[in-house]
Amino acid sequence: MRKNIVAGNWKMNKTLQEGIALAKELNEVLANEKPNCDVVICTPFIHLASVTPLVDPAKIGVGAENCADKESGAFTGEVSAAMVASTGAKYVILGHSERRAYYHETIETLAVKVRLALDNGLTPIFCVGEVLEDREAGKQNEVVHEQLAGSLFDLTAEDFSKIVIAYEPVWAIGTGKTATAAQAQEMHAFIRRAIADKYGKEVADNTSILYGGSCKASNAKELFANPDVDGGLIGGASLKAADFKGIIDAFN
Ligand code: PGA
C-alpha cells in the first residue's frame, strides 16, 4: 500500500549553518519517536552533502529541490541528478510551480528531468497544480491532467510507480490560503483516477499523493484525513522543527 509522507521544502531559505542546525534539531526531535509517516527534507543543493550524514536515514530522507535537465557538461550553474544522488540524497522535487513560473520550466523539460532523476535512483516528488485563474475558470482538472500526462505518462508502469505526486494549488502556496479538505480530496481523487486510467488501479492505489500549499499543524490533520491525501509537501512550516513536527504528528 502507498506510504504516508511529510516532506519539507526549504526553498531558498537557511544558510548552510542554519540548515545544519535545523536538520540536527529535527533529527533530535524525532530520535525517540516512531513517526507514522516517512519524513523527508528537501534542501538547497549546497546543504545536501552536509545534512545527509547528520540525519538518521531510517527516519529522515533528504532531497533536492530541483535538478538539471542535462546529464553533465558545459551548463554553468546547473546541478545534475547524478550530483544530487552522490550526496546521499534520495529525493528530488521536480515541477514546483515556482520553477515553472519563474524559471520557465516546461512540461517537456520536466519529462527529461524526471527521466534523469529516475536513472540516478532518485525519487521524484513531482508537483502539479493550477493557478487561481484556472480554478476560477473551472479548468483545474484539465491543467493538472496536462501536467501529469505531459511529463509522466510516457513512463513505464514500473518507473511511474517510483514517483510521488504533490498537488499544490498555486493560489494556496505561501498565501495562508489553504485548499479546503474537500477541494484537496476532490483533486487528489481526480489525480488517482487519471493514474488508474493510464496505469491501472493497483499502480494508482500505490501512488502517494501529497497536498501542498499553506499546510500547517493546525490544518494537517483535517487534510490528511481524506482518503486520497497521503501527506504533505510543506514550505513555510518546514523551517522550524517544532512546526514541522506538528505536521508529522497529524498522522498519529
Ligand atoms: P507553503 O509552500 O507550505 O509555504 O505554502 C508549499 C510549497 O510550495 O511546497
Side-chain angles (χ1 to χ4, degrees):
M1 242 346 235
R2 58 187 180 256
K3 289 178 183 165
N4 290 324
I5 302 170
V6 172
N9 173 11
W10 291 4
K11 306 194 180 183
M12 198 175 74
N13 293 296
K14 308 280 176 194
T15 62
L16 179 59
Q17 290 72 22
E18 290 164 351
I20 287 173
L22 175 57
K24 276 188 181 161
E25 195 185 345
L26 187 65
N27 197 52
E28 275 161 30
V29 162
L30 294 179
N32 298 315
E33 304 262 336
K34 231 177 151 279
N36 278 326
C37 60
D38 285 7
V39 176
V40 177
I41 50 176
C42 296
T43 80
F45 291 127
I46 65 138
H47 298 58
L48 294 173
S50 304
V51 159
T52 307
L54 289 179
V55 297
D56 175 356
K59 288 210 179 129
I60 303 176
V62 177
E65 301 171 12
N66 179 31
C67 71
D69 62 341
K70 302 285 191 302
E71 219 165 305
S72 66
F75 302 101
T76 302
E78 288 294 295
V79 175
S80 71
M83 291 172 185
V84 170
S86 73
T87 67
K90 302 283 181 220
Y91 295 83
V92 59
I93 296 173
L94 291 175
H96 192 281
S97 61
E98 288 151 17
R99 304 269 347 149
R100 292 179 194 260
Y102 308 149
Y103 302 97
H104 315 294
E105 295 195 358
T106 64
I107 279 175
E108 294 77 22
T109 315
L110 289 170
V112 175
K113 292 190 179 199
V114 167
R115 182 71 265 152
L116 288 166
L118 290 171
D119 287 348
N120 286 283
L122 297 170
T123 298
I125 300 175
F126 188 81
C127 304
V128 295
E130 80 285 359
V131 297
L132 188 59
E133 234 177 16
D134 296 326
R135 182 159 280 266
E136 285 175 347
K139 291 205 305 211
Q140 65 271 22
N141 289 5
E142 195 184 311
V143 167
V144 166
H145 194 278
E146 195 184 329
Q147 292 169 340
L148 282 174
S151 300
L152 300 179
F153 283 3
D154 283 337
L155 295 172
T156 62
E158 192 190 340
D159 278 342
F160 185 87
S161 56
K162 296 173 187 151
I163 309 267
V164 172
I165 305 286
Y167 169 58
E168 301 203 305
V170 180
W171 46 272
I173 296 177
T175 57
K177 214 172 156 184
T178 320
T180 63
Q183 282 172 324
Q185 168 56 25
E186 191 180 18
M187 179 57 85
H188 283 228
F190 171 77
I191 292 171
R192 205 177 300 285
R193 274 199 306 278
I195 298 169
D197 287 346
K198 174 69 192 171
Y199 293 108
K201 190 171 180 312
E202 196 184 332
V203 172
D205 283 345
N206 286 325
T207 303
S208 298
I209 308 176
L210 316 183
Y211 169 80
S214 300
C215 182
K216 41 190 182 283
S218 58
N219 58 25
K221 223 180 173 80
E222 194 189 350
L223 286 160
F224 299 171
N226 288 289
D228 288 298
V229 179
D230 309 310
L233 181 58
I234 319 299
S238 72
L239 297 174
K240 286 198 184 129
D243 294 349
F244 196 50
K245 171 71 165 38
I247 298 173
I248 295 165
D249 287 345
F251 277 116
N252 286 343

